[in-house]
Amino acid sequence: QVQLVESGGGLVQPGGSLRLSCAASGMIFSINGMGWYRQAPGKQRELVAAMATDGIIYYADSVKGRVTISGDGAKNTVHLQMNGLKPEDTAVYYCSYPIYVGMLNQGGRYWGQGTQVTVSS
């Protein structure tokens, strides 16, 4: 079993920044395979960024250049630094594990409870 706990969401004005964190515990041996998804009201869940199990970092086209995923292997924690936030970034953001390169759209077996990000003036 793997437990994922997200933090760092909130309300931010357009153009602002937020840093989300996901702490993993349980049967996890590497931060490779951890990543972030989001789901906006009325929309399907989508990949934001992932450090997939192949060791490669993937970003959604909609966030490239504005979002950076990073990790702390010693703490089994990944972060999502989001800059230049737009109203369309408003969504619940979820952490997932393990994310295989062939399953980027679906995500992993384990999911966190989600953290709300709202971008509004």
Side-chain angles (χ1 to χ4, degrees):
Q1 290 288 332
V2 173
Q3 294 77 42
L4 303 170
V5 179
E6 304 100 335
S7 61
L11 173 65
V12 63
Q13 292 186 342
S17 298
L18 277 177
R19 187 183 191 228
L20 307 183
S21 296
C22 173
S25 60
M27 296 295 288
I28 180 168
F29 304 103
S30 171
I31 58 173
N32 282 344
M34 292 181 69
W36 291 91
Y37 292 75
R38 67 185 181 187
Q39 186 166 21
K43 294 187 177 181
Q44 289 188 328
R45 185 173 58 200
E46 62 178 2
L47 171 72
V48 179
M51 304 172 71
T53 54
D54 61 354
I56 297 174
I57 292 176
Y58 297 87
Y59 292 101
D61 288 342
S62 59
V63 302
K64 281 181 180 177
R66 301 188 296 120
V67 167
T68 303
I69 187 171
S70 62
D72 183 340
K75 297 181 179 179
N76 283 341
T77 299
V78 292
H79 305 287
L80 189 71
Q81 178 67 44
M82 302 189 292
N83 302 321
L85 284 163
K86 306 175 182 179
E88 51 263 43
D89 294 317
T90 295
V92 179
Y93 284 69
Y94 297 92
C95 182
S96 185
Y97 175 85
I99 302 168
Y100 298 98
V101 65
M103 299 287 286
L104 285 173
N105 289 331
Q106 295 88 338
R109 175 182 179 185
Y110 300 101
W111 294 85
Q113 81 287 353
T115 186
Q116 177 71 46
V117 171
T118 302
V119 184
S120 175
S121 56

